[in-house]
Amino acid sequence: MLDDVIASDIQVIKSLVLSELHSVLSSKEFTKPMKVVINQLIKVSTCNLNQHSLSFSTNLKNLSTAIATASSSKSSYLLTPELSIPGYGCEDHFLESDTELHSWEVLATLVNSHESNCIVDVGMGIYVNGARYNCRVIFGREGIVMIRPKTSLANDGNYREGRYFTAFSGPTFAYTLPPCYTSLLTHPQTSCPFGLTPLKSLDSITLTSETCEELFTPSSPHITSSLSGVQIITNGSGSHHELRKLNQRLELIISCTKKCGGLYLYSNQRGNDGGRLYYDGSSLIVLNGEVLAQASQFGLKDVEVVSATVDLSEVDSYRGSRPSFGEQSRGNKTTFITLNTHITLPSTSPRHERTVSTSSPLKLSTPEEECLLGPACWMWDYLRRSSSSGYFLPLSGGADSSAVAAITYVMCDLAYKEYSTKTNYEVNETVERIMDGKVCESTEILCGEILHTTYMGTSNSSIKTYERSKNLAEKIGSYHLTANIDDMVLSVLSVFAKCTGKEPAFTSRGGTKREDLALQNIQARMRMVLAYMLAQLLPWCRGKSGFLLVLGSGNVDECLRGYLTKYDCSSADLNPIGSISKVDLKSMLKFAADKHGLTVLREIVEAPPTAELRPNEGENEHSQTDEDDMGMTYEELGVFGRLRKIGRCGPVSMYKKLLSRWPELSAEEVAAKVNRFFFYYAVNRHKMTTITPSYHAENYSPDDNRFDLRPFIYDSSWSWQKDALEALVENERVGFC
Ligand SMILES: Nc1ncnc2c1ncn2[C@@H]1O[C@H](COP(=O)(O)OP(=O)(O)OC[C@H]2O[C@@H]([n+]3cccc(C(=O)O)c3)[C@H](O)[C@@H]2O)[C@@H](O)[C@H]1O
Ligand SMILES: Nc1ncnc2c1ncn2[C@@H]1O[C@H](COP(=O)(O)OP(=O)(O)OP(=O)(O)O)[C@@H](O)[C@H]1O
Ligand SMILES: NC(=O)CC[C@H](N)C(=O)O
């Protein structure tokens, strides 16, 4: 059996080599006097696509639009994102045969309807001989040219490709296409090459793929491909947004083509495809380290195609000018699969079509823009895909809920601007559904229909937070209410008193710490109950149909320390800021204040964060502050959070790192801070098991459900680790290291 497979593989390789040989022998260069080719002009395209996992009709529509756009601009090649047919984020659905079946059906529809000369590169999972691969499928008007499987899977952080796919290795072989695909074809095809062999067009343009993670590995396929003379590298990706990450990704592409030369096409998904991640587009075309075209990182367009016209002789010229490249390239012998098409721009095409693209600087957003725009676009997709009529936000007048309000306002601003162009069908449809017959004439009008905010005060609330909440709501135009929830709290306390015979009191009124905490928590929890009631019935109160999604506004640092009441307003439907640090949120708020004229946000940032759950003893601002309550500052929490997750530190290594980072503190003080942090982290970790799904923005996100996989019942004494720390402190005291 195995012998048969090997024999058939050898046969296929032989036939591939023979076909290559045949194409060389029959090529014009060989049989006719040498024609000097000065330019190899080619127009190529790549795209951002807002694919939605398992929504095959949406994905087909987006792919067809992208193909039509690239074809009408006479592009020879169109690259689309990783797994662009089913959507990148299908996760365990990749294990279902239905996902592959529907992908073949979509592919057949695309192939049957393809009429232009553009070669199209799409992505889907394919099960072959006992293993499922994450594949690129490259097709033209005559059918599939080849299938290229991924060789290095993404398995870190949010990625679990190894759970669904196998990394490919091995020779290229002839793959028999499945009947579910072949039975749908209008031009019959029964097999195609499956493997890593690069392609060569009839006009000798050479091309190969690497897929997303392969670019990030030390021995990326583009290195050997470039040394073998392959001119074009394509990379279809599914890469998510993280603050300050884009430049790392794009600089990798730029530096690889600076080092190896070549034309690099990068395509990324963009949008929320059904989970916590936002894929941030930024598809790119780079030639020899120069950016020729870049699609946007954030936005509400489902399809964004960018193209460039390139003189490919510049690749050979660039490589040829570096003897060291030649030395490493010498002796690389590559077999190519013949791509039965010409992909150069014909010299007869109009001159303006033959004008080569010039380089432009890389466009990068600031972290403040990223914090505003990433979650805003993610929320827009959530809104339209959940078919809800808007959002409900408990607006306390503090920094966190105000940040969520600002992000929602920016979402409305993006939607209103897109709507005003009247060219974006999907945005128009959603805006009109939400406006429900009313005219949409400004961002604020749209915000008034989408965003519902409520200040839910108690006798412990201050006039300051009430006013900030009201002012912000007025400025952004949200539908705002004010509620006093004292009656709700008193009712629960009265039921409690009746059934237990006990009446808890705040510490300032003679109660214990336990009573004090319980009295705080009940206020916070009542807000959540009212929030859900309002979200369900506010559209009804306003004579509208539908329901609202409840927005949560806990930030990453509070979650890490567990400084939140379980099942208070931190429990919601979605949280746009759940993995953004307080420090980043504050600078985002200042930026939004200036950019959108929301001046009240400045006042909000400058106020000390407070929960306002104890009786107020202050005169102006509330006397209860978060940082006092927590026993650590938000800035310190950011440091602990990064060291714990990104730095992979336990108590001992965190102490060692902080000792040099905080030289102004004694060893005892550093150890005490580390111990305190790990204690609270351990006793509160259970809160992360039920935390609201939030936009993934930070590498130090403590999200237990997808990203930060750790236990939730800890030995919170950390006795072994504490002893080790004590010994280190003692060493420090007596002068050893
Ligand atoms: N290991 C474990 N596994 C699963 N569940 C566990 C558990 N340990 C406790 N629990 C449960 O968790 C409950 C305790 O959690 P919870 O009810 O949240 O209460 P708790 O964590 O004790 O108190 C709330 C915390 O949030 C702070 N706070 C309060 C109010 C507002 C704000 C703010 O963000 O501004 C912060 C407050 O200072 C305090 O540190 C227990 O009653 C028990 O039901
Ligand atoms: N007075 C209030 N009115 C409405 N919602 C409130 C009020 N107080 C708290 N909340 C809601 O409960 C959440 C958690 O409250 P907490 O006091 O912990 O605030 P926080 O996490 O510091 O956020 P913020 O900065 O928005 O006050 C808030 O983000 C807000 O959504
Ligand atoms: N889909 C992938 O292969 C992801 C690769 C990579 N780690 C990224 O974040 O972009």
Side-chain angles (χ1 to χ4, degrees):
M1 177 69 182
L2 192 63
D3 285 352
D4 284 354
V5 174
I6 293 170
S8 81
D9 275 6
I10 292 171
Q11 204 49 46
V12 174
I13 299 295
K14 270 190 191 159
S15 72
L16 291 173
V17 173
L18 281 178
S19 99
E20 173 62 15
L21 205 61
H22 175 75
S23 89
V24 171
L25 287 173
S26 62
S27 72
K28 287 177 189 164
E29 292 103 306
F30 202 81
T31 52
K32 288 188 180 168
M34 207 66 147
K35 190 170 106 191
V36 181
V37 179
I38 301 170
N39 288 334
Q40 256 189 327
L41 286 188
I42 171 176
K43 184 159 189 185
V44 289
S45 298
T46 180
C47 58
N48 291 341
L49 295 185
N50 192 323
Q51 303 306 75
H52 186 192
S53 305
L54 297 179
S55 180
F56 291 95
S57 40
T58 301
N59 300 348
L60 171 62
K61 194 162 93 183
N62 289 344
L63 284 164
S64 303
T65 309
I67 295 170
T69 310
S71 299
S72 67
S73 75
K74 300 215 178 77
S75 231
S76 297
Y77 201 92
L78 169 70
L79 177 71
T80 71
E82 187 168 11
L83 297 163
S84 54
I85 293 184
Y88 183 78
C90 294
E91 302 197 296
D92 279 0
H93 290 290
F94 284 122
L95 304 176
E96 297 163 5
S97 60
D98 291 30
T99 306
E100 186 178 335
L101 168 73
H102 299 317
S103 299
W104 283 116
E105 289 162 356
V106 169
L107 183 66
T109 313
L110 291 171
V111 170
N112 285 341
S113 60
H114 192 50
E115 286 173 346
S116 76
N117 290 325
C118 186
I119 307 293
V120 182
D121 186 333
V122 294
M124 62 184 272
I126 300 178
Y127 183 81
V128 189
N129 302 337
R132 186 181 302 100
Y133 300 104
N134 174 348
C135 298
R136 304 302 308 173
V137 180
I138 301 165
F139 68 88
R141 43 196 291 172
E142 282 146 28
I144 298 177
V145 178
M146 83 168 293
I147 297 177
R148 198 274 182 192
K150 190 171 182 175
T151 57
S152 302
L153 303 178
N155 281 319
D156 60 333
N158 286 297
Y159 296 99
R160 283 172 193 75
E161 288 184 7
R163 193 175 156 107
Y164 334 113
F165 300 114
T166 303
F168 180 83
S169 68
T172 299
F173 62 94
Y175 168 67
T176 305
L177 293 161
C180 66
Y181 173 70
T182 52
S183 62
L184 298 173
L185 292 178
T186 42
H187 300 296
Q189 179 180 18
T190 52
S191 65
C192 70
F194 188 108
L196 308 177
T197 314
L199 296 170
K200 185 187 270 184
S201 73
L202 292 180
D203 26 32
S204 294
I205 288 177
T206 49
L207 177 145
T208 196
S209 317
E210 62 184 6
T211 305
C212 204
E213 181 72 7
E214 292 173 312
L215 167 69
F216 294 76
T217 53
S219 177
S220 295
H222 70 256
I223 299 174
T224 40
S225 303
S226 303
L227 289 172
S228 304
V230 174
Q231 295 158 306
I232 306 175
I233 316 284
T234 63
N235 185 330
S237 271
S239 190
H240 69 277
H241 174 233
E242 236 168 49
L243 293 175
R244 305 172 179 88
K245 174 184 164 201
L246 182 67
N247 61 336
Q248 293 166 24
R249 191 199 304 152
L250 301 189
E251 275 161 16
L252 261 182
I253 297 172
I254 292 171
S255 77
C256 88
T257 55
K258 250 193 194 131
K259 226 163 91 169
C260 300
L263 173 63
Y264 203 102
L265 306 187
Y266 174 79
S267 172
N268 192 14
Q269 201 169 278
R270 186 175 70 182
N272 165 357
D273 74 354
R276 290 161 169 80
L277 305 184
Y278 179 78
Y279 299 89
D280 61 338
S282 311
S283 298
L284 201 66
I285 302 178
V286 178
L287 176 70
N288 299 334
E290 304 284 337
V291 177
L292 300 185
Q294 183 182 0
S296 54
Q297 185 180 16
F298 304 109
L300 305 188
K301 286 187 176 49
D302 285 354
V303 179
E304 191 180 339
V305 176
V306 292
S307 307
T309 302
V310 180
D311 177 359
L312 273 187
S313 67
E314 286 186 26
V315 172
D316 297 338
S317 164
Y318 185 85
R319 289 174 180 163
S321 68
R322 309 160 112 216
S324 55
F325 183 92
E327 274 162 28
Q328 294 199 345
S329 155
R330 185 178 51 210
N332 268 298
K333 288 197 185 71
T334 302
T335 312
F336 291 91
I337 291 174
T338 306
L339 180 58
N340 194 18
T341 183
H342 293 270
I343 59 179
T344 45
L345 276 176
S347 54
T348 50
S349 56
R351 196 163 158 197
H352 71 271
E353 283 176 14
R354 287 182 285 128
T355 309
V356 293
S357 308
T358 49
S359 73
S360 49
L362 199 57
K363 287 174 247 138
L364 292 172
S365 312
T366 61
E368 290 79 10
E369 286 169 322
E370 290 188 90
C371 285
L372 266 181
L373 294 171
C377 295
W378 182 77
M379 284 174 71
W380 178 257
D381 284 340
Y382 206 130
L383 182 71
R384 65 181 173 137
R385 287 175 175 159
S386 65
S387 303
S388 76
S389 2
Y391 287 116
F392 176 81
L393 172 69
L395 185 60
S396 70
D400 293 340
S401 49
S402 301
V404 173
I407 288 168
T408 316
Y409 174 78
V410 168
M411 178 198 82
C412 295
D413 195 46
L414 289 171
Y416 175 68
K417 288 191 175 130
E418 200 65 29
Y419 173 74
S420 309
T421 66
K422 299 284 176 210
T423 55
N424 189 326
Y425 174 78
E426 281 70 28
V427 169
N428 286 0
E429 200 186 27
T430 309
V431 167
E432 276 158 20
R433 175 174 65 78
I434 287 166
M435 292 307 296
D436 206 7
K438 291 190 201 139
V439 184
C440 182
E441 283 177 323
S442 69
T443 298
E444 288 71 22
I445 290 178
L446 184 58
C447 195
E449 296 302 314
I450 291 181
L451 181 61
H452 300 67
T453 50
T454 302
Y455 182 81
M456 305 181 200
T458 66
S459 50
N460 300 318
S461 305
S462 71
I463 188 79
K464 285 272 177 203
T465 51
Y466 160 77
E467 279 171 354
R468 285 176 195 136
S469 171
K470 190 163 150 288
N471 291 346
L472 178 60
E474 267 169 25
K475 200 77 194 155
I476 61 178
S478 67
Y479 182 86
H480 187 69
L481 298 175
T482 298
N484 185 307
I485 61 162
D486 278 336
D487 288 347
M488 292 173 77
V489 176
L490 289 174
S491 307
V492 175
L493 291 178
S494 133
V495 173
F496 178 86
K498 276 185 196 145
C499 81
T500 63
K502 296 273 200 183
E503 285 186 27
F506 285 106
T507 41
S508 59
R509 295 176 188 168
T512 60
K513 265 192 165 168
R514 210 166 6 162
E515 292 164 58
D516 190 286
L517 206 50
L519 285 175
Q520 293 186 57
N521 290 350
I522 194 63
Q523 298 167 62
R525 267 195 200 110
M526 286 296 106
R527 287 193 176 115
M528 185 271 284
V529 174
L530 183 60
Y532 271 90
M533 177 109 190
L534 288 165
Q536 201 172 359
L537 290 183
L538 276 184
W540 170 74
C541 299
R542 298 179 74 187
K544 298 175 69 171
S545 57
F547 67 98
L548 307 176
L549 293 170
V550 180
L551 292 171
S553 50
N555 65 60
V556 65
D557 300 317
E558 290 169 346
C559 291
L560 201 55
R561 156 67 174 71
Y563 184 67
L564 58 104
T565 299
K566 207 171 184 179
Y567 306 117
D568 72 348
C569 284
S570 59
S571 292
D573 296 321
L574 64 153
N575 179 352
I577 62 162
S579 74
I580 301 180
S581 75
K582 195 87 171 180
V583 173
D584 280 334
L585 270 185
K586 283 189 166 183
S587 49
M588 179 201 89
L589 283 170
K590 288 183 194 155
F591 173 79
D594 297 341
K595 171 112 201 260
H596 295 280
L598 305 173
T599 40
V600 56
L601 290 178
R602 279 213 165 260
E603 187 192 329
I604 289 170
V605 178
E606 270 137 34
T610 164
E612 299 196 332
L613 294 167
R614 287 201 193 101
N616 188 11
E617 281 145 26
E619 290 202 345
N620 210 348
E621 298 289 351
H622 205 284
S623 55
Q624 177 184 16
T625 67
D626 287 5
E627 293 187 342
D628 278 354
D629 261 8
M630 288 193 292
M632 55 193 81
T633 65
Y634 278 112
E635 211 166 315
E636 285 169 345
L637 261 177
V639 174
F640 294 136
R642 286 199 162 76
L643 286 178
R644 184 195 67 96
K645 182 77 172 88
I646 305 173
R648 294 169 291 279
C649 289
V652 167
S653 37
M654 189 181 288
Y655 162 80
K656 285 182 178 166
K657 290 224 158 79
L658 290 178
L659 211 53
S660 55
R661 189 165 176 160
W662 290 339
E664 67 284 6
L665 299 184
S666 69
E668 285 85 351
E669 284 167 325
V670 174
K673 280 182 188 282
V674 171
N675 281 332
R676 189 177 313 130
F677 168 73
F678 274 98
F679 169 75
Y680 282 113
Y681 167 76
V683 295
N684 285 315
R685 177 72 189 166
H686 66 92
K687 293 183 182 172
M688 294 314 296
T689 60
T690 56
I691 203 73
T692 299
S694 64
Y695 179 91
H696 175 92
E698 264 290 357
N699 232 341
Y700 80 95
S701 162
D703 181 358
D704 175 43
N705 301 293
R706 299 293 169 111
F707 183 66
D708 186 14
L709 307 179
R710 300 184 194 221
F712 54 89
I713 307 172
Y714 281 89
D715 173 358
S716 58
S717 72
W718 298 92
S719 55
W720 192 278
Q721 293 88 334
K722 243 183 183 165
D723 289 348
L725 268 193
E726 246 167 55
L728 285 172
V729 171
E730 181 58 17
N731 281 349
E732 196 64 36
R733 206 176 55 76
V734 296
F736 299 111
C737 286

